[in-house]
Amino acid sequence: MTEQNKHPEESGLDLFRPTAEDERKGITGITMEQEIVSVATLRARKRRRRAIMLSAISLFVVALVIISGALITRYDPFKTRDYSGGGNGTTVTFTIRSGQSTAQVAQELEAAGVIADADKFLEVYTKESKGKYLQPGTYELQQHMSSSSAITTIIDANSNVLYLAIPQGKRVSETIDLIVSGSDGAFTRKQVEDAVSNYTQYGVPSNFPSIEGWLHPGEYRFPKDTDIKKVIQTMVDKTKADLKEAGVSGDQKTFEVLTIASIVELEAQPKDYVAVAGIIENRLNNPDGETSGLIQSDATVTYGLGVRSYHLTEEQKADKSNKYNTYANKGLPKGPIGSPQLASIKAAAAPEKNPYYYWVTVDLDSGETKYSRTYAEHQRYVEEYNQWCSKHPNRCS
């Protein structure tokens, strides 16, 4: 008997049927059900499979186009990645601003048409800069310079220039550190310390205990062979110019304004300078008032201690031997506690008239500052500050 002529009961399905012995044991075996599908159903299924396949292909193509477009935009094979030579003769005056990253400079050089490709510029800079930086300043470049040529031009322009950047709020000791480190070996620390020790030679009044308060913050450029005294004189002259603009004259008035300005700058945000200067004036002018004539500035105490901190012990606040301790000693401290800039000098010269005796910055990130007339009200705001510090312990150390 051929396979096709077998009786259904003797077909391959019999392989899954239980034997007589299995049936006696209760084993019934596997039941298979044959599916009968119409031609229409088969065609419908085929259409669905085709539609699903086409959708998948379409999505893949769209994704491929998007990715390809992004790659072409960044790695355009037809884009010139670098020019050759020193430019096409068309001058471009280009400025590198303070605080810009090399990547930002590269993007702006490309936008100005100086270089062909910012990414290529960064590659060349990494290989050829040899640890030298693109210093802030204004440079005469050309259009269509090679990356190497642009880098060399910028760096060489500073090869004979002494560039110093003095941030706001620095003390004399910190400014000396910056001058020494920024001079690239031109000045030793002893040379700078000796230069500032005889401070009256620069026109600083003798009623100041040191040159503190006069080394104006900012960016400076000098020829590499500039004498250190010329550097110091330039900084002092900028402070003199600020005092003149603020209408301050006379040795005693100058001492008061620079000292208060240095406190204001470290104790307040720029938006609060004039208000805090007014509060300090209220305290100084009312020795029998709410604060008994005490400025009570943490910044002055820490200056006298030679540290920087937001926290002081009660013993440190009670130490009268610290001539910068405005908790224990009435009136102004011994002298300025940093070198202020124009905004704080103007605030100290023309403080806001207000009724307050207290201020506290309750949020060191936003700079939110609250003022009060009484100590009880001030304590509520201090508690706000303490709560903020409990949530930001690393900011209040």
Side-chain angles (χ1 to χ4, degrees):
M1 181 183 295
T2 63
E3 187 71 25
Q4 289 83 357
N5 295 328
K6 283 185 180 179
H7 191 276
E9 283 77 5
E10 297 175 358
S11 68
L13 294 177
D14 289 338
L15 296 174
F16 299 98
R17 294 188 176 183
T19 63
E21 181 65 23
D22 288 335
E23 289 178 347
R24 284 196 298 271
K25 294 180 179 179
I27 299 174
T28 59
I30 299 175
T31 301
M32 296 189 66
E33 209 174 284
Q34 295 184 357
E35 182 183 16
I36 298 175
V37 181
S38 68
V39 173
T41 301
L42 288 173
R43 287 176 177 172
R45 289 180 179 179
K46 187 174 182 180
R47 284 196 298 271
R48 282 200 300 272
R49 286 197 295 270
R50 185 181 296 114
I52 292 170
M53 181 62 71
L54 289 173
S55 297
I57 292 172
S58 298
L59 289 173
F60 175 76
V61 170
V62 170
L64 187 61
V65 169
I66 292 172
I67 295 171
S68 298
L71 291 173
I72 289 172
T73 299
R74 184 171 178 81
Y75 303 106
D76 185 353
F78 304 105
K79 177 182 178 182
T80 301
R81 293 213 68 206
D82 209 354
Y83 298 121
S84 61
N88 62 7
T90 302
T91 300
V92 175
T93 301
F94 185 82
T95 300
I96 299 177
R97 298 182 299 280
S98 180
Q100 279 192 301
S101 67
T102 306
Q104 289 171 325
V105 172
Q107 291 291 340
E108 292 187 7
L109 283 169
E110 181 182 339
V114 175
I115 61 171
D117 183 76
D119 290 331
K120 180 64 176 179
F121 178 90
L122 293 174
E123 291 176 16
V124 176
Y125 176 79
T126 301
K127 294 176 183 177
E128 298 183 4
S129 61
K130 298 178 181 178
K132 294 183 179 179
Y133 298 99
L134 304 179
Q135 295 181 2
T138 299
Y139 302 89
E140 295 299 313
L141 305 174
Q142 293 186 32
Q143 288 184 347
H144 294 194
M145 299 179 76
S146 69
S147 295
S148 180
S149 179
I151 292 165
T152 300
T153 301
I154 294 171
I155 290 177
D156 285 354
N158 289 296
S159 61
N160 293 315
V161 175
L162 172 63
Y163 170 74
L164 302 175
I166 312 300
Q168 181 180 342
K170 294 297 181 183
R171 301 171 179 176
V172 165
S173 60
E174 296 166 334
T175 300
I176 290 174
D177 289 338
L178 291 169
I179 292 174
V180 173
S181 62
S183 71
D184 196 24
F187 306 129
T188 65
R189 184 172 185 84
K190 186 177 187 308
Q191 285 177 312
V192 183
E193 288 176 342
D194 289 345
V196 301
S197 62
N198 183 16
Y199 54 91
T200 56
Q201 67 181 306
Y202 305 106
V204 175
S206 58
N207 61 332
F208 282 80
S210 71
I211 203 170
E212 187 71 87
W214 291 89
L215 299 181
H216 199 285
E219 294 181 8
Y220 298 89
R221 289 175 178 81
F222 304 95
K224 272 285 178 70
D225 59 355
T226 301
D227 183 78
I228 182 58
K229 290 184 179 180
K230 172 65 174 177
V231 174
I232 303 302
Q233 187 67 66
T234 301
M235 293 180 172
V236 172
D237 287 346
K238 287 193 70 174
T239 299
K240 289 180 181 179
D242 282 357
L243 288 165
K244 183 178 180 179
E245 184 173 339
V248 179
S249 61
D251 291 357
Q252 184 56 34
K253 184 64 174 178
T254 297
F255 176 85
E256 293 171 0
V257 167
L258 279 186
T259 302
I260 292 173
S262 69
I263 297 172
V264 164
E265 197 162 284
L266 291 173
E267 287 280 8
Q269 299 293 318
K271 63 182 178 60
D272 300 303
Y273 281 173
V274 291
V276 172
I279 294 173
I280 291 176
E281 184 177 67
N282 290 341
R283 291 184 174 210
L284 292 173
N285 293 342
N286 294 281
D288 298 323
E290 184 75 16
T291 60
S292 303
L294 296 168
I295 295 178
Q296 298 176 322
S297 163
D298 291 357
T300 64
V301 181
T302 56
Y303 179 89
L305 294 171
V307 300
R308 284 189 181 273
S309 174
Y310 290 110
H311 296 292
L312 295 170
T313 66
E314 292 305 315
E315 289 76 16
Q316 289 171 331
K317 290 181 179 180
D319 182 12
K320 286 191 174 186
S321 67
N322 179 353
K323 299 304 180 183
Y324 290 87
N325 185 351
T326 54
Y327 281 93
N329 301 303
K330 291 186 178 183
L332 291 173
K334 186 179 179 180
I337 59 173
S339 293
Q341 41 82 50
L342 183 59
S344 51
I345 289 174
K346 283 184 173 181
E352 175 186 279
K353 299 299 180 183
N354 61 53
Y356 303 118
Y357 280 86
Y358 301 92
W359 78 93
V360 59
T361 301
V362 298
D363 186 323
L364 299 183
D365 287 340
S366 69
E368 181 184 3
T369 300
K370 294 190 175 181
Y371 311 106
S372 50
R373 302 185 186 195
T374 66
Y375 183 69
E377 185 181 12
H378 174 64
Q379 284 300 101
R380 292 199 295 272
Y381 296 145
V382 170
E383 182 56 30
E384 282 189 37
Y385 165 72
N386 290 333
Q387 290 176 6
W388 187 90
C389 284
S390 67
K391 298 176 182 177
H392 308 81
N394 295 330
R395 292 284 285 111
C396 300
S397 57

